[in-house]
Amino acid sequence: MLAVLEYYLLIFVVFLQCLFIKKIGKWPLLILIALELWFLSAFRRWDIGNDTSIYVSAFVYMYTPFSEVFGQGRMEQGYRILNQFIGLFSHNPQTILIVTSAIIISSRFFTIARYSAYAGFTVILFVIMQFGTTLNLIRQEMAFSIVLFALPFIIKRQLIPYLIFCLLAMQVHLTAITAI
């Protein structure tokens, strides 16, 4: 019950902030809300989100010799490489949530800032409809984030760079094949 109340409080706070978008300006407000959502996502408990504990365990067991998680496991090679790269700088499992949250939230907010005519409304829709999903499906959301970063290429009809981004996204989660 507490989680539901906290979620409604988040929606209410974001809604109030979006009321001031004309006074504050689009970019400062989007940066503020993005930082708030990143903080909530990056520093959440490991039991929040269906798969979060699996990703944290995968990061921890990456250092175990002959780990099944990093053998022929379910995780695509690109995500394993991301884990190994992050592990070069920190062995703290919270680090994987900090980095993936930064990528996921920044991709959404850059896309909103660049392409939404009604940024405040779009942010509210994101918080209501998708923010909870970003806490659950980290690899899929990471792949979707890479595809979002490729959006300018497809808009400019630059197919080769777009396809390269899509192939990179498929290395994080195979569902990114749908972007092709």
Side-chain angles (χ1 to χ4, degrees):
M1 181 66 179
L2 185 60
V4 173
L5 292 176
E6 291 170 348
Y7 190 64
Y8 285 129
L9 179 62
L10 172 65
I11 293 169
F12 180 70
V13 167
V14 169
F15 177 75
L16 286 179
Q17 289 172 325
C18 287
L19 291 177
F20 296 103
I21 198 163
K22 287 187 179 179
K23 237 180 218 183
I24 298 172
K26 180 168 82 170
W27 275 101
L29 185 66
L30 289 178
I31 290 170
L32 174 66
I33 296 172
L35 286 173
E36 292 167 356
L37 295 178
W38 169 78
F39 186 83
L40 290 173
S41 180
F43 297 103
R44 68 185 183 267
R45 290 189 336 246
W46 298 343
D47 62 343
I48 294 177
N50 297 335
D51 295 343
T52 304
S53 61
I54 294 169
Y55 296 123
V56 168
S57 296
F59 183 78
V60 169
Y61 294 128
M62 173 177 59
Y63 303 104
T64 305
F66 308 109
S67 170
E68 287 183 27
V69 175
F70 284 91
Q72 296 297 322
R74 291 179 39 210
M75 295 186 187
E76 285 81 355
Q77 188 65 27
Y79 187 76
R80 286 186 250 165
I81 291 170
L82 176 67
N83 274 278
Q84 291 169 344
F85 181 73
I86 293 169
L88 293 174
F89 302 99
S90 174
H91 293 276
N92 182 348
Q94 197 73 41
T95 310
I96 192 70
L97 297 179
I98 292 169
V99 172
T100 56
S101 296
I103 294 168
I104 292 167
I105 297 298
S106 66
S107 71
R108 300 320 189 271
F109 277 80
F110 281 128
T111 304
I112 290 169
R114 190 166 187 174
Y115 299 111
S116 176
Y118 302 101
F121 182 67
T122 308
V123 167
I124 292 169
L125 286 178
F126 169 71
V127 171
I128 291 171
M129 299 175 72
Q130 196 189 15
F131 180 66
T133 305
T134 67
L135 303 176
N136 289 315
L137 308 170
I138 294 174
R139 286 184 306 129
Q140 285 178 323
E141 293 294 332
M142 286 286 296
F144 182 59
S145 297
I146 295 169
V147 171
L148 282 179
F149 284 128
L151 204 56
F153 294 116
I154 198 68
I155 290 171
K156 294 176 188 173
R157 299 185 188 273
Q158 297 173 336
L159 190 60
I160 300 299
Y162 177 77
L163 289 175
I164 290 170
F165 270 86
C166 288
L167 291 173
L168 178 65
M170 287 170 51
Q171 295 303 306
V172 176
H173 201 282
L174 197 55
T175 58
I177 197 168
T178 59
I180 296 177

